Amino acid sequence: MSSGGVARVYRGAFAHSTRDSALRVLTDFVLGVNEQGKIIFFEDGQNVESLSHQWGFETSDIEWLEPHEFFMPGMVDTHIHAPQYAYSGTHLDLPLLDWLNIYTFPVESRYEDLDFATDVYTKVVKRTLCNGTTTACYFATIHTDASLLLGQIADDFGQRALIGKVCMDCNSMVPNYKEQTEECKDETDRFIHELLKKKYALVKPVVTPRFAISCSSSLLSNLGKIAKNNDLHIQSHISENKEEVQFVKELFPDCTSYTDVYVKHGLLTNKTVMAHGCYLTDEELMIFHEKGAAVSHCPNSNISLISGLLNARNVLNHKVKLGLGTDVAGGYSPSMLDAIRRAVDTSKALCIQDAELQPLSYKEAFRLATLGGSEVLSLDDCTGNFEVGKDFDALRVNICVPGSPIDLFPGDDPEVILEKFLNLGDDRNIVEVYVAGKQVVPFS
């Protein structure tokens, strides 16, 4: 390539979401990426001559996509528990609170062992990247050093990530898996300081109270202050199952709702993402909208743990930022394609119960997994679609790879090909993954 700062130029089919459109499939477009991994042009293929003059590249430099290939934005997993990957695909026979006590906390308490942590964290980062997750918002465990290790591994493999050291000072069921309030605050400060000191380009800390049940009021207040003073993201859980909602009501009798607990402790901001929200009331959703806080919809987990069915349409109608999460391992699949499918299925199940409801279309679910997720994590200024100036976070999808789970037929246009991939495709079809312009899959 020439000295014009152009590193790569692609021409072919692209699919992405915009502010105004859930899905735009562009059959012949040309996209340029500079040395810094940013998109410098994205235009109709017929403009290629003028673009080559303007940017100083040869038309022979262009990489053409095959007719059965397309680029789409990398997917954003807005809620995933990295340590739980060790038992994903198992242990789905209990409701949430029993599931945490019997399966989750005993496994998470093993992460003091850094060899164990290295093994699991390497596997989860590689697996999610292969499945097209270019950005992940991770819960780790209460262990600072293992949580820092997850940050290092995400950086090593080039994944964009928010990493949360889990905070919990109340855990009567598994008493050895918690911290003292003061220790938790100090370790959270240390975690944030150490992670920021590494100056990783794409990996940042996120303040992570596990949920209201496992945190004292004093710890929640401290975490609210830490987030504010460092201008950090916040992640937690809210209104996942009925038993939990009731328990929170008993623990915080002076709060009007589960949402109010987080509001009173300074934890509901425009950089907050709350997982689940199955039982949020319209009043609570109005507060989410006012605060600019976001919901991560985790449909696989909500069904697997028999927690509830989130009415995603109602969340969107309240103009609350909404994205999708795998919620490994309550959700058994680490693939965001699974999250897309189950989000649509959940909305259809709700329509069976209430004929007035409008189901989510596959186009809307595509948006939630890409641009919607970047909005949820307040990263939509740099990722989520193919707007000029954003980082090139992208998946190259090939429908005709050997062993592909998808068959094509004459007349299948790029939009049909995309819909087939979203419903039938898997990691075999994701032949290249780029984060900030750097090819991260296949692994070098």
Side-chain angles (χ1 to χ4, degrees):
M1 286 280 172
S2 71
S3 60
V6 182
R8 279 194 298 279
V9 180
Y10 298 102
R11 185 171 179 180
F14 291 81
H16 76 155
S17 305
T18 63
R19 290 271 171 269
D20 320 312
S21 170
L23 174 65
R24 293 191 67 204
V25 178
L26 307 152
T27 35
D28 177 27
F29 256 59
V30 58
L31 179 144
V33 183
N34 70 9
E35 303 287 354
Q36 288 73 46
K38 300 214 178 287
I39 299 165
I40 46 175
F41 56 81
F42 183 50
E43 293 185 27
D44 198 293
Q46 64 193 19
N47 300 343
V48 74
E49 287 296 331
S50 64
L51 286 167
S52 75
H53 294 310
Q54 185 186 342
W55 293 98
F57 62 89
E58 303 295 324
T59 46
S60 58
D61 293 331
I62 296 169
E63 198 169 329
W64 283 79
L65 300 187
E66 298 288 338
H68 49 264
E69 285 189 308
F70 63 88
F71 269 114
M72 64 173 276
M75 291 185 279
V76 182
D77 189 341
T78 58
H79 184 70
I80 172 169
H81 293 262
Q84 296 175 16
Y85 184 65
Y87 63 92
S88 61
T90 68
H91 297 342
L92 296 167
D93 56 338
L94 294 173
L96 175 67
L97 299 181
D98 296 334
W99 179 84
L100 285 170
N101 293 325
I102 290 166
Y103 300 131
T104 303
F105 295 150
V107 170
E108 288 193 13
S109 56
R110 293 179 60 193
Y111 281 77
E112 268 173 307
D113 176 350
L114 293 182
D115 290 337
F116 178 68
T118 301
D119 180 41
V120 180
Y121 288 164
T122 300
K123 284 172 177 160
V124 72
V125 169
K126 288 177 78 170
R127 179 67 64 192
T128 52
L129 276 172
C130 286
N131 277 288
T133 299
T134 51
T135 301
C137 191
Y138 287 115
F139 271 61
T141 62
I142 66 173
H143 311 99
T144 302
D145 293 331
S147 304
L148 289 166
L149 187 63
L150 175 57
Q152 182 196 317
I153 291 167
D155 179 69
D156 286 346
F157 284 99
Q159 191 172 49
R160 190 185 298 277
L162 290 169
I163 310 281
K165 174 218 163 302
V166 170
C167 298
M168 47 195 289
D169 61 350
C170 307
N171 189 359
S172 55
M173 304 305 280
V174 187
N176 67 336
Y177 188 54
K178 67 177 180 192
E179 296 171 283
Q180 300 303 317
T181 311
E182 205 52 37
E183 171 197 17
C184 187
K185 183 174 133 344
D186 293 345
E187 284 299 297
T188 300
D189 279 330
R190 176 166 87 87
F191 169 72
I192 292 163
H193 176 72
E194 295 277 329
L195 190 59
L196 292 175
K197 205 166 74 178
K198 304 278 188 196
K199 293 195 165 35
Y200 297 138
L202 304 173
V203 179
K204 300 286 179 273
V206 47
V207 172
T208 307
R210 183 170 213 117
F211 60 164
I213 290 176
S214 60
C215 298
S216 66
S217 184
S218 142
L219 177 59
L220 291 173
S221 293
N222 277 321
L223 295 175
K225 289 185 189 111
I226 288 171
K228 188 176 184 194
N229 295 340
N230 297 280
D231 188 26
L232 292 179
H233 286 81
I234 297 162
Q235 64 176 348
S236 194
H237 300 87
I238 197 166
S239 301
E240 183 173 354
N241 89 354
K242 287 177 176 171
E243 190 190 352
E244 167 217 15
V245 174
Q246 187 52 42
F247 197 10
V248 170
K249 203 175 269 183
E250 290 160 19
L251 286 172
F252 297 89
D254 52 340
C255 293
T256 54
S257 65
Y258 203 154
T259 298
D260 194 39
V261 175
Y262 291 124
V263 171
K264 281 204 164 79
H265 294 95
L267 290 164
L268 206 73
T269 73
N270 62 357
K271 291 174 89 169
T272 295
V273 51
M274 288 286 169
H276 306 296
C278 299
Y279 300 100
L280 290 173
T281 63
D282 286 351
E283 291 74 28
E284 288 177 280
L285 287 170
M286 283 159 73
I287 296 167
F288 266 74
H289 171 71
E290 283 160 24
K291 297 282 186 186
V295 173
S296 170
H297 178 23
C298 306
N300 185 319
S301 168
N302 292 339
I303 295 164
S304 292
L305 301 182
I306 319 177
S307 296
L309 301 172
L310 176 73
N311 184 341
R313 175 71 64 214
N314 191 41
V315 177
L316 293 171
N317 286 346
H318 279 87
K319 298 196 165 37
V320 172
K321 295 183 292 191
L322 183 67
L324 300 179
T326 59
D327 194 24
V328 164
Y332 55 77
S333 172
S335 167
M336 285 295 293
L337 289 172
D338 175 87
I340 288 173
R341 292 161 195 169
R342 283 171 207 285
V344 172
D345 288 349
T346 296
S347 78
K348 288 177 176 174
L350 287 166
C351 292
I352 294 169
Q353 296 170 6
D354 179 358
E356 300 288 292
L357 285 176
Q358 249 337 89
L360 288 179
S361 66
Y362 83 89
K363 298 178 180 182
E364 289 174 298
F366 171 88
R367 188 189 189 285
L368 294 179
T370 55
L371 186 60
S374 71
E375 289 168 354
V376 162
L377 301 182
S378 308
L379 294 171
D380 50 312
D381 58 333
C382 64
T383 186
N385 62 9
F386 295 130
E387 273 174 30
V388 171
K390 289 192 181 184
D391 289 355
F392 184 62
D393 287 8
L395 314 181
R396 184 172 184 160
V397 177
N398 183 340
I399 299 302
C400 296
V401 290
S404 174
I406 306 167
D407 290 309
L408 289 187
F409 298 92
D412 283 356
D413 63 29
E415 193 160 321
V416 169
I417 287 173
L418 170 75
E419 187 177 2
K420 284 190 170 185
F421 168 67
L422 294 179
N423 284 320
L424 302 169
D426 60 28
D427 56 328
R428 287 169 290 186
N429 300 109
I430 301 171
V431 290
E432 291 169 4
V433 178
Y434 294 86
V435 182
K438 180 180 169 222
Q439 188 176 317
V440 295
V441 175
F443 302 116
S444 53

